[in-house]
Amino acid sequence: MSAGEPPAPIPGARLLFSIDPGVSYLNHGSFGAVPIGVQRAQQRLRDEIESNPLRFFTQGLSDRVVHTRRHIAAFLGADPEGSALVANATTGASIVLNSVRLESADEVLLTDHSYGAVAIAARRRCRRAGATVRTVALPLAASDAEVVSRIRTALRPGRTKLLIIDQLSSATAMTFPVRAITAAAHEHDIPVLVDAAHVPGMLPVDVDSIKADFWVGNLHKWAFAPRGTALLSVAQQWRRRIEPPVVSWDQELGYPQSVEHQGTLDLTPWLAAPTGLFTLRTLGWDTVRGHNAALAAYGQRVVGAALGARELPEPGDNEVSMRIVPLPAGLASTPPEAQALRTHIADKLAVETAVNAWGGRGLLRLSAQVYNRPEEYDRLAERLPELLHDYRR
């Protein structure tokens, strides 16, 4: 494949999904899409529950959860004894925030790329403790060295009690040098939470080698798991301090069982997650990653050219399956405006995208997955300029 050309489709991959053929679904990054085989695996588990709920919940369920956790942890290079299955990355971040001691003079440090819900959780936690949230600005075009330098400068030893950093940000689709950032924070004994919501299934990762105090990633975005599946990894020195969101029967067993056991929580997404990993391996993970990264880059190029974008931000890692295109000035500059424009594009063009307001500027985020084809981005590039022109009037 020469530079600039889109990748060839993966044979049969589109048939593995139940995506509406009348919609160009270019927003896999928001909620993922579950392959049909994984949907069926989860339904079989639901059928098993309803055939005998008492047997399902009381005979062998804990062992099945442990087996699943070990399988997923091995895939991510995480210590299974320090890992817990949770509903999503935001849940994991909230667990961490509630487990870190904060007092009135303390602060939690974020970046302006942090996921909105995580920032909300941080503000709530700090408000209750009388602490503060501080944000460090990281330009889209910043090099890894500049990112590390800015964060290092922003740290306040003795006051900064937690640094939250994205491995791959949601709004801006940028990757960050989490190993180097973690090392810089640890020079001052500042704990680090890596929000890796988009990493599992998209980027190769060895969680333990990052050496972060906390790492959390979703399996239901790029690893084909049912929604409600994520892994929280916690360093050894923090495990005794983890506070579960709900106290239940396994509280006395400590982490990770205390986090995973929450009464009648539906665990079928977790138990079906290995089927998603099997699907990914069957397609060939290198093949999937290469296809998706190339197609996302193609989509960014054609849509960016159509909108007259002078500069297209590079994600920092060419394997990223999401790319952003800056929208014309004045469009989607606030979250409500971004939501309204996303809905308008979906309603008028039958195209699902992500539109985010970041730094007072609207960003169109395009995802690529094996069910997508180049012509979907071509059609968006052809029709979007006129739609935006009319929308602004």
Side-chain angles (χ1 to χ4, degrees), residues 2-3 57 111 133 146 167 185 192 202 209 259 284 298 323 326 350 361:
S2 63
F57 282 103
T111 80
V133 172
E146 183 180 357
Q167 189 165 355
V192 178
M202 184 201 291
S209 71
V259 168
Y298 174 79
R323 296 286 186 120
R361 183 74 182 271

Side-chain angles (χ1 to χ4, degrees), residues 97-131:
L97 283 162
N98 289 329
S99 301
V100 173
R101 184 177 179 180
L102 293 175
E103 297 180 349
S104 59
D106 298 334
E107 68 175 22
V108 173
L109 184 63
L110 309 176
T111 80
D112 56 352
H113 296 254
S114 294
Y115 187 60
V118 172
I120 291 170
R123 288 195 294 268
R124 186 184 75 163
R125 175 70 178 94
C126 287
R127 185 167 58 249
R128 290 179 172 179

Side-chain angles (χ1 to χ4, degrees), residues 3 10 265 286 305 309:
I10 299 174
L265 181 71
D286 288 341

Side-chain angles (χ1 to χ4, degrees), residues 234-256:
V234 176
Q236 178 70 46
Q237 66 270 24
W238 285 96
R239 294 171 193 173
R240 289 181 178 271
R241 291 181 263 182
I242 293 297
E243 293 289 340
V246 175
V247 174
S248 192
W249 290 102
D250 281 351
Q251 173 69 14
E252 299 306 317
L253 295 178
Y255 180 87

Side-chain angles (χ1 to χ4, degrees), residues 70-93:
R70 289 182 176 278
H71 187 94
I72 292 173
F75 173 72
L76 297 172
D79 177 5
E81 302 306 318
S83 301
L85 293 168
V86 295
N88 51 48
T90 305
T91 299

Side-chain angles (χ1 to χ4, degrees), residues 113 139-144 147 166-169 172-177 202-203 293 296-297 300 312-324 365-366:
H113 296 254
L140 285 177
S143 65
D144 284 356
V147 167
D166 291 77
Q167 189 165 355
L168 170 59
S169 68
T172 59
M174 303 294 292
T175 59
F176 295 100
M202 184 201 291
L203 298 176
Q300 182 191 44
L312 295 174
E314 292 291 332
D317 188 327
N318 289 330
E319 293 183 308
V320 168
S321 303
M322 302 187 301
R323 296 286 186 120
I324 58 171
R365 192 190 72 193
L366 301 173

